[in-house]
Amino acid sequence: MNLKAVYTKALFNVLKEDLSEKEVEALIEFPKHEAHGDLAFPCFRLASVRKQAPNVISADVAGKLSDPLIERAEAAGPYVNIFFNRKEVSTEALRQLEVLGPKFGDGLRKEKNVVFDFSSPNIAKPFSMGHLRSTIIGRSLAGIAEKNGYNAVKINHLGDWGTQFGKLMCAYTRWGSEAEVRENPIPALMRYYVRYHEEAEKAPELDDEARAWFKKLEDQDVEAVKLWNWFKEESLKEFSKVYDLLGIEFDHMQGESFYNDKMAPVAAELEEKNLLVESDGAMVVETGEDEPPCLIKKKDGTTLYATRDLAAAIYRKKQFDFHKCVYVVGAEQQLHFSQVKTVLGRMGYNWTDDLVHVPFGLILQGGKKMSTRKGKIVLLEDVLRDAIGRAERNIVEKNPSLENREEVAMDVGTGAVVFHDLKNERINSVEFNLEHMLTFEGETGPYVQYTHARAMTLLERAEADPDPGALDGDEAWAVVKELLAFPSAVERAWSQYEPSVIAKYVLGLSSAFNSYYGKVRILEDDDQLQARLALVKAVTDVLKEGLGLLGVKAPDRM
Ligand code: ARG
């Protein structure tokens, strides 16, 4: 049961002639004050349809509304305020939550694929904070899509191709050592890369050498391919440590190099459709007046980032027949994705509206962009290990007898970092502050995890009751209402590509539950005990499921 759905249906029965069911649903509000009911319906929109004053309409609608789950409807100026029949609604809600458990809020299966292109770090470089955001947001959106009934196809579009590898090979063959790379691959490769840029400033002929290396790579030269494979392997070993810590798996590791043999056909197609134009020896596609042309091939015939994204989009459409292809990539690549879409549109593909760039803001430290500048590499793995270490010290202090301490520390430490990232709208920048993330008070992952664990301890002796009965009291009602709002949060998080909707939702449910826990003696042996336990059980299910959608684990004990 979904409160909004109940109300939408009841309202729609009254408003059939004036509005569609979707329009009715979109207008419904959740009032902030209890006096304004559980849900409210503003009549401004109807006023223009019916050509009547909103106040007149609200009185008419309130008078006609009836549903067994609605206790009364009041006209208040231009609004209709609805009060639910708490007893009926809570009884029905507890029954449903009990039956559905973690499936509560699942959307209908749609048999449609949604491709997620996320994480996508660049090999031979440190896993940056920007890639951390893409990884966390992308994984969460994939989970949210699944919950809404889609099949998520998770692709890591590794940055494993491009002129930078020419530079890296040039640098490695000049100044590199195999042993150094084996010992600590990313920092070593990064050093060579930085040195390349320093030396190339003084000796521009290095650029030609680097270009030649990349050309060799694109031409499948044995030595170039061997080096590249090795750099990639070493990098992937490092990246997988981060993925393991975060518990992330991909369906496909199809990086940019995967499209190496799929770009020539794209270039040929562009040629055939008369879209390629020469510009300074390079080949480009014009994308209109507002955007610079999209570069397809360089002077020397090598390909570019955009060329590979064109090939990738076409390949994915063929392979997965996606409903949407979602690119979780920082806001600074807006222009790139807009160009890719324009070019595909000019090629005549009619699915370019299904390519969705989901951008996000920066990670800041002390208000400044966190950088991976020369020598000052913040390795993500270290950050996560630091968070886990702090979580473990916390446990030692607060709950020294806890079993499986290490596992819980891992869930809490990584959960803190992940939740902190997801709780604000993704487009905003995030201030990175480990101390803050890990507190048990305030809007943190550990706070929600702790609420869940606390509820779990209440259930130790509880048994499932198929008909738990009704509940009374304002605090219980507030929890029931929060629980029933989960399905619409799941839908909204998807329609807005916004994990923060779920993060805010679990914070709200936690806070409602903690007020309830503070006021009501849950384990008191009276005739509402079963109902109270059913409520607690539902809270644990929904919190766990909600955290799961964010990629955060919910340990039973903390
Ligand atoms: N590797 C790229 C970068 O670090 C991100 C790739 C995003 N995905 C894509 N299909 N372009 O900037």
Side-chain angles (χ1 to χ4, degrees), residues 21 63 73 103 119 122 261 269 358 383 414 416 482 494 526 552:
E21 197 164 337
K103 290 203 170 69
S119 193
N122 300 321
D261 61 353
E269 191 179 332
V358 173
V383 170
T414 57
E482 281 289 340
W494 176 237
D526 60 19
V552 175

Side-chain angles (χ1 to χ4, degrees), residues 117-122 131 157-159 256 305 309 312 316 327-329 332-333 336-337:
D117 174 316
F118 71 113
S119 193
S120 313
N122 300 321
H131 294 116
H157 189 80
L158 283 173
E256 293 185 41
Y305 183 51
D309 260 325
R316 289 171 187 169
Y327 299 88
V328 186
V329 186
E332 66 282 359
Q333 293 195 28
H336 165 76
F337 287 108

Side-chain angles (χ1 to χ4, degrees), residues 322-390:
F322 55 70
H323 165 64
K324 299 265 182 242
C325 176
V326 177
Y327 299 88
V328 186
V329 186
E332 66 282 359
Q333 293 195 28
Q334 204 104 45
L335 173 63
H336 165 76
F337 287 108
S338 161
Q339 286 182 313
V340 166
K341 267 171 94 156
T342 310
V343 173
L344 289 166
R346 290 199 64 197
M347 291 171 89
Y349 293 111
N350 62 2
W351 38 263
T352 56
D353 283 345
D354 301 330
L355 304 177
V356 186
H357 175 206
V358 173
F360 51 82
L362 302 171
I363 294 199
L364 305 176
Q365 207 168 26
K368 288 205 207 85
K369 182 173 174 180
M370 218 172 171
S371 74
T372 46
R373 268 169 304 129
K374 302 174 191 174
K376 231 193 83 190
I377 305 173
V378 191
L379 283 184
L380 196 52
E381 193 198 337
D382 296 342
V383 170
L384 290 171
R385 294 216 182 275
D386 188 12
I388 295 167
R390 286 174 195 234

Side-chain angles (χ1 to χ4, degrees), residues 157-407:
H157 189 80
L158 283 173
D160 60 0
W161 208 250
T163 41
Q164 68 271 31
F165 296 103
K167 296 175 185 171
L168 186 61
M169 285 176 201
C170 166
Y172 175 78
T173 45
R174 279 173 173 259
W175 316 295
S177 109
E178 188 177 332
E180 258 178 10
V181 177
R182 292 224 181 275
E183 195 182 313
N184 209 353
I186 307 265
L189 294 172
M190 192 63 194
R191 269 201 311 280
Y192 307 150
Y193 192 66
V194 169
R195 180 157 175 198
Y196 171 87
H197 282 280
E198 285 165 2
E199 307 253 349
E201 249 168 62
K202 292 170 271 167
E205 64 274 14
L206 283 185
D207 283 338
D208 294 328
E209 195 175 315
R211 254 195 299 275
W213 270 109
F214 182 53
K215 181 92 176 94
K216 274 197 198 172
L217 187 60
E218 286 220 315
D219 295 342
Q220 303 289 316
D221 168 83
V222 179
E223 192 193 356
V225 170
K226 198 171 142 210
L227 268 181
W228 171 84
N229 260 327
W230 179 46
F231 294 158
K232 182 166 167 173
E233 252 166 51
E234 295 291 343
S235 303
L236 282 179
K237 265 190 236 157
E238 291 299 303
F239 296 161
S240 65
K241 290 186 198 161
V242 173
Y243 294 135
D244 287 349
L245 284 173
L246 291 171
I248 288 184
E249 280 167 22
F250 295 91
D251 299 309
H252 304 282
M253 294 295 259
Q254 291 166 340
E256 293 185 41
S257 66
F258 179 76
Y259 302 97
N260 202 22
D261 61 353
K262 299 174 182 59
M263 285 183 288
V266 175
E269 191 179 332
L270 286 168
E271 178 93 67
E272 188 190 314
K273 292 182 172 160
N274 277 325
L275 295 171
L276 277 187
V277 231
E278 206 200 299
S279 163
D280 278 338
M283 297 312 262
V284 306
V285 176
E286 303 283 356
T287 52
E289 274 167 25
D290 311 332
E291 282 173 6
C294 182
L295 214 55
I296 304 291
K297 253 192 211 176
K298 288 195 183 170
K299 251 192 210 141
D300 60 4
T302 53
T303 57
L304 292 107
Y305 183 51
T307 327
R308 292 184 277 285
D309 260 325
L310 292 173
I314 294 170
Y315 171 82
R316 289 171 187 169
K317 186 65 195 176
K318 269 204 203 107
Q319 194 72 10
F320 306 111
D321 189 26
F322 55 70
H323 165 64
K324 299 265 182 242
C325 176
V326 177
Y327 299 88
V328 186
V329 186
E332 66 282 359
Q333 293 195 28
Q334 204 104 45
L335 173 63
H336 165 76
F337 287 108
S338 161
Q339 286 182 313
V340 166
K341 267 171 94 156
T342 310
V343 173
L344 289 166
R346 290 199 64 197
M347 291 171 89
Y349 293 111
N350 62 2
W351 38 263
T352 56
D353 283 345
D354 301 330
L355 304 177
V356 186
H357 175 206
V358 173
F360 51 82
L362 302 171
I363 294 199
L364 305 176
Q365 207 168 26
K368 288 205 207 85
K369 182 173 174 180
M370 218 172 171
S371 74
T372 46
R373 268 169 304 129
K374 302 174 191 174
K376 231 193 83 190
I377 305 173
V378 191
L379 283 184
L380 196 52
E381 193 198 337
D382 296 342
V383 170
L384 290 171
R385 294 216 182 275
D386 188 12
I388 295 167
R390 286 174 195 234
E392 184 157 6
R393 285 195 290 282
N394 236 328
I395 298 171
V396 173
E397 226 171 78
K398 295 203 169 108
N399 191 359
S401 60
L402 183 73
E403 283 169 37
N404 62 350
R405 180 199 296 168
E406 273 171 32
E407 196 184 320

Side-chain angles (χ1 to χ4, degrees), residues 4-5 7-28 41-42 45-46 49-50:
K4 213 172 158 186
Y7 188 30
T8 305
K9 225 174 82 235
L11 264 169
F12 181 63
N13 279 335
V14 180
L15 303 175
K16 263 191 197 115
E17 324 252 284
D18 307 306
L19 299 173
S20 72
E21 197 164 337
K22 275 241 161 329
E23 285 174 306
V24 171
E25 188 184 351
L27 286 169
I28 292 172
F41 187 76
R45 181 68 217 288
L46 270 180
V49 179
R50 286 195 183 176

